Amino acid sequence: MNILVTGGAGYIGSHFVKILLKNNFDVVVLDNLSRGHKKAIPADVPFEEVDLLNYTELEKVFTKHKFDAVVHFAAFAYVGESVENPIKYYENNVVGSFNLLRTCIEANIKKFVFSSTCSLYGNPDKIPISEDQPTNPINPYAQTKLTIENILHDFDSAYNLKSVALRYFNAAGADFEAEIGESHDPEPHLIPIVINTALGKREKVFIFGDDYNTKDGTCIRDYIHINDLGDAHLKALKYLRDGGDSQIINLGTGEGNSVKEIIDVSEKITGLKIKSEITGRRDGDPAVLIADNKKAHKVLGWKPEHNLNDIISSAYNWHKNPRF
Ligand code: UDP
C-alpha cells in the first residue's frame, strides 16, 4: 500500500512513518514544516513540503502520486494557543483537513485514518472514558478535532469514505533507537519538561495545582508510548484495507499517573534530582483522564505494549542528545 502521511515530520507522524517503513509500506510525507522537522524523516522518503491550505499544490501531490490511504496528523495542537487565536486553529485544522478530504474524494481515496483527541470529552462524567460518552469540547483545539470527526461522518454517508478516528490520550516517550523524539518549541508537555529539568536544561517543574480530588492532589493522565500509538495506526490501516467500517476509537493504556508520580519515576530512572514547585491550576485541565481502551482491542486487536518506565527511559535517551 502507498500511504500519504500528513504531518509526517511531526512528533507522532514521524514515529508512525518509521513503523510504516519497517512494515514495508510505501510512504509519502506531506508537511509544511511549520512545526515539524525535516530531519525526523529519512532522506530517501518522498517528501512534499506543502501546506494543506494550498489547495492547488495539494491537488498536484495527488496527481503526482497514487495513494491507497491517507493518515492525517497535520494540525496545530496547543490548547492555550487555540484559546488565544481560534482563527489560526479553525483555519489550519478545519479548513486544512477539509481541503485534504475534498482532495481525497476527488482522487477516489476511500481509506482515511485521523488523529483525534481525548480532549473532546471535556470534563468527563465517568472514568475510564469510553467512546460512547458525550463529547463536550471546552477549547477551540478540541472543537476543531470534533468538527473534523463530524465531516468524516458526513463524507462516509455521502461518498463512502471509510475512516478510523483515533482519540489519543497523552502521547509520550520516544523511538527506542533515539533517532527521533519529541521536540516542540515552546514545549508545553509534562514529560519532556520533567526530563529536561533532570538534565539541567530547565530549572524546575511547575506543578499545575495540587488541590485536585486525586490521590496526591495532582492531575492524573493516561500516558501512552508513541510506538503503541503508531502500532494502533498501522492496525487501523490494515482494518480499513480489509474492508472495515468507519470507527471512532480511544487510544490509551487504561492506567493513570499523577504529575507527582511522573516526577518520582523520572528521578528513579534518570538517577537525577528534579526540582519542582507547586503553582496554580492551568485553565481547562480536568482532574483525571483515563481511557477505556476495550474498543481498540475488540476492533483493531490492539493492546499497548509499553509501560511508564519505557516511556520515561526512551524520552530520557532521546533528550540526552536530541538530533533536532
Ligand atoms: N503539567 C504540569 N506542569 C507542566 C506541564 C504540565 O503540572 O509544566 C500537568 C498538566 O496540568 C496536566 C499534565 O501535566 O495535568 C499533562 O499535561 P500535558 O501538557 O503534558 O498534556 P495534556 O494532558 O494537557 O494534554
Side-chain angles (χ1 to χ4, degrees):
M1 284 176 99
N2 192 24
I3 313 296
L4 175 67
V5 181
T6 75
Y11 170 47
I12 304 177
S14 61
H15 285 78
F16 177 60
V17 166
K18 188 164 175 178
I19 289 174
L20 278 181
L21 295 172
K22 275 194 178 159
N23 284 274
N24 299 316
F25 281 76
D26 293 317
V27 183
V28 175
V29 168
L30 181 149
D31 202 298
N32 65 4
L33 295 181
S34 67
R35 304 248 155 128
H37 304 271
K38 186 79 197 290
K39 282 188 184 162
I41 300 300
D44 56 350
V45 170
F47 180 76
E48 300 287 351
E49 189 174 339
V50 170
D51 194 314
L52 292 177
L53 296 177
N54 190 337
Y55 189 64
T56 314
E57 287 302 310
L58 195 55
E59 279 190 310
K60 283 188 198 154
V61 173
F62 280 71
T63 311
K64 187 167 153 195
H65 308 273
K66 292 285 163 244
F67 302 117
D68 300 296
V70 172
V71 183
H72 177 38
F73 295 98
F76 290 150
Y78 293 167
V79 170
E81 187 182 54
S82 79
V83 174
E84 281 159 26
N85 196 347
I87 289 181
K88 181 172 173 174
Y89 272 67
Y90 280 100
E91 182 173 57
N92 187 70
N93 293 4
V94 178
V95 179
S97 299
F98 176 76
N99 283 346
L100 177 67
L101 283 162
R102 189 168 151 187
T103 317
C104 286
I105 301 307
E106 284 168 2
N108 204 28
I109 289 161
K110 301 289 187 198
K111 299 174 187 68
F112 196 91
V113 179
F114 175 55
S115 172
S116 192
T117 173
C118 73
S119 67
L120 46 69
Y121 294 112
N123 288 298
D125 296 336
K126 275 187 280 168
I127 299 290
I129 308 167
S130 56
E131 293 83 352
D132 51 12
Q133 284 202 38
T135 53
N136 179 27
I138 53 173
N139 57 65
Y141 164 66
Q143 286 284 11
T144 66
K145 292 287 177 175
L146 182 58
T147 304
I148 300 158
E149 285 194 3
N150 291 335
I151 297 173
L152 287 173
H153 174 268
D154 294 343
F155 276 33
D156 184 2
S157 307
Y159 312 121
N160 200 28
L161 177 80
K162 298 299 170 198
S163 68
V164 178
L166 296 168
R167 293 179 174 169
Y168 312 155
F169 284 65
N170 287 58
D175 170 35
F176 291 105
E177 289 157 319
E179 287 181 344
I180 46 180
E182 192 165 6
S183 175
H184 297 121
D185 185 22
E187 180 56 76
H189 294 126
L190 180 67
I191 290 180
I193 288 174
V194 167
I195 300 288
N196 279 323
T197 308
L199 288 166
K201 297 181 193 174
R202 301 175 79 111
E203 199 207 328
K204 58 181 139 179
V205 180
F206 288 98
I207 298 175
F208 297 149
D210 68 346
D211 56 350
Y212 286 94
N213 186 17
T214 60
K215 53 191 167 186
D216 62 20
T218 66
C219 285
I220 291 179
R221 293 288 178 274
D222 181 336
Y223 295 92
I224 169 170
H225 193 276
I226 193 82
N227 282 359
D228 279 330
L229 271 189
D231 180 42
H233 288 71
L234 186 68
K235 289 190 160 66
L237 270 181
K238 291 179 176 168
Y239 163 85
L240 291 173
R241 181 196 62 195
D242 296 342
D245 227 335
S246 293
Q247 298 286 352
I248 288 173
I249 296 178
N250 284 342
L251 289 183
T253 63
E255 306 281 330
N257 289 101
S258 73
V259 175
K260 280 187 179 163
E261 280 174 342
I262 296 294
I263 297 174
D264 290 347
V265 173
S266 300
E267 282 192 331
K268 282 197 191 94
I269 287 178
T270 63
L272 298 164
K273 179 83 197 116
I274 300 169
K275 234 172 117 180
S276 65
E277 182 182 315
I278 310 292
T279 176
R281 291 182 175 197
R282 185 171 69 178
D283 273 353
D285 265 342
V288 183
L289 291 173
I290 298 174
D292 177 332
N293 63 9
K294 285 199 277 298
K295 188 171 176 187
H297 184 55
K298 194 167 156 226
V299 176
L300 302 178
W302 175 85
K303 264 191 175 173
E305 286 179 4
H306 301 294
N307 60 21
L308 187 63
N309 286 0
D310 297 335
I311 289 174
I312 304 283
S313 58
S314 61
Y316 179 49
N317 281 339
W318 160 253
H319 285 290
K320 271 195 282 196
N321 193 13
R323 284 178 54 238
F324 47 84

